[in-house]
Amino acid sequence: QVQLVESGGGLVQAGGSLRLSCVASGRIKSINTMGWYRQAPGKQRELVATITSGGSTNYADSLKGRFTASRDNAKNTVYLQMNSLKPDDTAVYYCNADVITDWGPNQYRYWGQGTQVTVSS
């Protein structure tokens, strides 16, 4: 009943930038925290960033300020601005959202299908 769709991935040279988007749709009453995770081949999924409904953000320390999350609550959309990209940033990037659905009071975490980001040297 809730879907998240990522977009904006692609191939970029080292040092370049990409902006990812993730739109949530469906039976949504409200969305609390949204987040970005990534998974590189042969590695575990790791946190990239989270952002609360009020706009407070949290980032993985290893990103060193290169990534910025933002959101548009009216559009149920979260963004990830990625600057100074490195080959190590190559991964599938997934968004998620903690959603209060319109059929009840419980919160559920939904995940998108991911978008590929490839950074070349």
Side-chain angles (χ1 to χ4, degrees), residues 7 12 28 38 43-44 51-52 61-62 69 88 93 104 111-112:
S7 63
V12 64
I28 298 170
R38 68 186 185 184
K43 298 182 179 179
Q44 289 189 296
I51 181 167
T52 69
D61 290 340
S62 62
D88 285 348
Y93 284 71
W111 290 87

mmCIF file of all heavy atoms in Angstrom, residues 7 12 28 38 43-44 51-52 61-62 69 88 93 104 111-112:
data_model
loop_
_atom_site.group_PDB
_atom_site.id
_atom_site.type_symbol
_atom_site.label_atom_id
_atom_site.label_comp_id
_atom_site.label_asym_id
_atom_site.label_seq_id
_atom_site.Cartn_x
_atom_site.Cartn_y
_atom_site.Cartn_z
ATOM 1 N N SER A 7 15.295 7.620 -7.821
ATOM 2 C CA SER A 7 15.726 8.013 -9.152
ATOM 3 C C SER A 7 16.956 8.897 -9.025
ATOM 4 O O SER A 7 17.276 9.390 -7.947
ATOM 5 C CB SER A 7 14.619 8.740 -9.912
ATOM 6 O OG SER A 7 14.261 9.946 -9.258
ATOM 7 N N VAL A 12 29.015 8.527 -13.083
ATOM 8 C CA VAL A 12 29.626 9.842 -12.934
ATOM 9 C C VAL A 12 31.118 9.668 -12.678
ATOM 10 O O VAL A 12 31.559 8.665 -12.108
ATOM 11 C CB VAL A 12 28.950 10.631 -11.784
ATOM 12 C CG1 VAL A 12 29.182 9.943 -10.443
ATOM 13 C CG2 VAL A 12 29.426 12.070 -11.743
ATOM 14 N N ILE A 28 -0.618 6.942 2.740
ATOM 15 C CA ILE A 28 0.250 7.620 3.684
ATOM 16 C C ILE A 28 -0.516 8.684 4.447
ATOM 17 O O ILE A 28 -1.108 9.573 3.836
ATOM 18 C CB ILE A 28 1.446 8.266 2.968
ATOM 19 C CG1 ILE A 28 2.296 7.198 2.288
ATOM 20 C CG2 ILE A 28 2.276 9.091 3.955
ATOM 21 C CD1 ILE A 28 3.342 7.762 1.367
ATOM 22 N N ARG A 38 23.175 2.461 1.504
ATOM 23 C CA ARG A 38 23.799 1.994 0.282
ATOM 24 C C ARG A 38 24.427 0.631 0.517
ATOM 25 O O ARG A 38 24.776 0.270 1.640
ATOM 26 C CB ARG A 38 24.854 2.977 -0.224
ATOM 27 C CG ARG A 38 26.081 3.100 0.653
ATOM 28 C CD ARG A 38 27.000 4.198 0.140
ATOM 29 N NE ARG A 38 28.249 4.271 0.891
ATOM 30 C CZ ARG A 38 29.183 5.183 0.686
ATOM 31 N NH1 ARG A 38 29.021 6.116 -0.253
ATOM 32 N NH2 ARG A 38 30.296 5.172 1.415
ATOM 33 N N LYS A 43 29.552 -6.213 0.144
ATOM 34 C CA LYS A 43 29.566 -5.524 1.427
ATOM 35 C C LYS A 43 28.159 -5.448 2.008
ATOM 36 O O LYS A 43 27.165 -5.608 1.303
ATOM 37 C CB LYS A 43 30.136 -4.113 1.272
ATOM 38 C CG LYS A 43 31.576 -4.071 0.794
ATOM 39 C CD LYS A 43 32.078 -2.645 0.705
ATOM 40 C CE LYS A 43 33.524 -2.597 0.247
ATOM 41 N NZ LYS A 43 34.011 -1.201 0.133
ATOM 42 N N GLN A 44 28.102 -5.187 3.293
ATOM 43 C CA GLN A 44 26.821 -5.029 3.956
ATOM 44 C C GLN A 44 26.223 -3.656 3.660
ATOM 45 O O GLN A 44 26.935 -2.700 3.347
ATOM 46 C CB GLN A 44 26.969 -5.215 5.462
ATOM 47 C CG GLN A 44 27.243 -6.635 5.900
ATOM 48 C CD GLN A 44 27.158 -6.793 7.391
ATOM 49 O OE1 GLN A 44 27.941 -6.208 8.132
ATOM 50 N NE2 GLN A 44 26.178 -7.573 7.840
ATOM 51 N N ILE A 51 16.930 11.690 7.939
ATOM 52 C CA ILE A 51 16.388 13.029 8.129
ATOM 53 C C ILE A 51 14.998 12.900 8.719
ATOM 54 O O ILE A 51 14.161 12.144 8.229
ATOM 55 C CB ILE A 51 16.399 13.823 6.803
ATOM 56 C CG1 ILE A 51 15.844 15.233 7.010
ATOM 57 C CG2 ILE A 51 15.658 13.078 5.703
ATOM 58 C CD1 ILE A 51 16.124 16.154 5.822
ATOM 59 N N THR A 52 14.756 13.628 9.785
ATOM 60 C CA THR A 52 13.468 13.577 10.454
ATOM 61 C C THR A 52 12.455 14.444 9.725
ATOM 62 O O THR A 52 12.788 15.201 8.814
ATOM 63 C CB THR A 52 13.586 14.046 11.904
ATOM 64 O OG1 THR A 52 13.869 15.455 11.928
ATOM 65 C CG2 THR A 52 14.696 13.300 12.635
ATOM 66 N N ASP A 61 29.755 8.969 9.501
ATOM 67 C CA ASP A 61 30.967 9.758 9.718
ATOM 68 C C ASP A 61 31.910 9.708 8.527
ATOM 69 O O ASP A 61 32.606 10.687 8.230
ATOM 70 C CB ASP A 61 31.692 9.262 10.966
ATOM 71 C CG ASP A 61 30.950 9.588 12.248
ATOM 72 O OD1 ASP A 61 30.097 10.500 12.237
ATOM 73 O OD2 ASP A 61 31.225 8.931 13.275
ATOM 74 N N SER A 62 31.946 8.588 7.853
ATOM 75 C CA SER A 62 32.883 8.411 6.756
ATOM 76 C C SER A 62 32.601 9.301 5.555
ATOM 77 O O SER A 62 33.476 9.469 4.701
ATOM 78 C CB SER A 62 32.899 6.947 6.310
ATOM 79 O OG SER A 62 31.629 6.554 5.832
ATOM 80 N N ALA A 69 21.348 15.411 2.890
ATOM 81 C CA ALA A 69 19.970 14.965 2.746
ATOM 82 C C ALA A 69 19.022 16.133 2.973
ATOM 83 O O ALA A 69 19.289 17.017 3.797
ATOM 84 C CB ALA A 69 19.665 13.840 3.730
ATOM 85 N N ASP A 88 34.760 4.728 -4.282
ATOM 86 C CA ASP A 88 34.242 3.956 -3.156
ATOM 87 C C ASP A 88 32.772 4.242 -2.874
ATOM 88 O O ASP A 88 32.143 3.512 -2.108
ATOM 89 C CB ASP A 88 35.051 4.245 -1.893
ATOM 90 C CG ASP A 88 36.415 3.571 -1.898
ATOM 91 O OD1 ASP A 88 36.651 2.707 -2.759
ATOM 92 O OD2 ASP A 88 37.242 3.907 -1.033
ATOM 93 N N TYR A 93 21.949 2.538 -4.015
ATOM 94 C CA TYR A 93 21.449 3.417 -2.969
ATOM 95 C C TYR A 93 19.952 3.190 -2.780
ATOM 96 O O TYR A 93 19.177 3.229 -3.740
ATOM 97 C CB TYR A 93 21.722 4.876 -3.320
ATOM 98 C CG TYR A 93 23.169 5.258 -3.119
ATOM 99 C CD1 TYR A 93 24.154 4.783 -3.978
ATOM 100 C CD2 TYR A 93 23.555 6.082 -2.059
ATOM 101 C CE1 TYR A 93 25.486 5.102 -3.780
ATOM 102 C CE2 TYR A 93 24.883 6.413 -1.863
ATOM 103 C CZ TYR A 93 25.845 5.922 -2.722
ATOM 104 O OH TYR A 93 27.171 6.250 -2.522
ATOM 105 N N GLY A 104 -4.390 2.892 10.056
ATOM 106 C CA GLY A 104 -4.200 2.636 11.467
ATOM 107 C C GLY A 104 -3.096 3.489 12.051
ATOM 108 O O GLY A 104 -2.463 4.277 11.345
ATOM 109 N N TRP A 111 10.834 0.355 2.098
ATOM 110 C CA TRP A 111 12.076 0.491 1.352
ATOM 111 C C TRP A 111 11.803 0.593 -0.136
ATOM 112 O O TRP A 111 10.889 -0.045 -0.663
ATOM 113 C CB TRP A 111 12.982 -0.722 1.589
ATOM 114 C CG TRP A 111 13.554 -0.787 2.961
ATOM 115 C CD1 TRP A 111 12.984 -1.345 4.062
ATOM 116 C CD2 TRP A 111 14.820 -0.282 3.372
ATOM 117 N NE1 TRP A 111 13.823 -1.223 5.142
ATOM 118 C CE2 TRP A 111 14.951 -0.576 4.747
ATOM 119 C CE3 TRP A 111 15.859 0.378 2.718
ATOM 120 C CZ2 TRP A 111 16.089 -0.224 5.479
ATOM 121 C CZ3 TRP A 111 16.989 0.730 3.445
ATOM 122 C CH2 TRP A 111 17.083 0.420 4.808
ATOM 123 N N GLY A 112 12.621 1.375 -0.811
ATOM 124 C CA GLY A 112 12.590 1.409 -2.254
ATOM 125 C C GLY A 112 13.412 0.282 -2.845
ATOM 126 O O GLY A 112 14.059 -0.495 -2.139
#
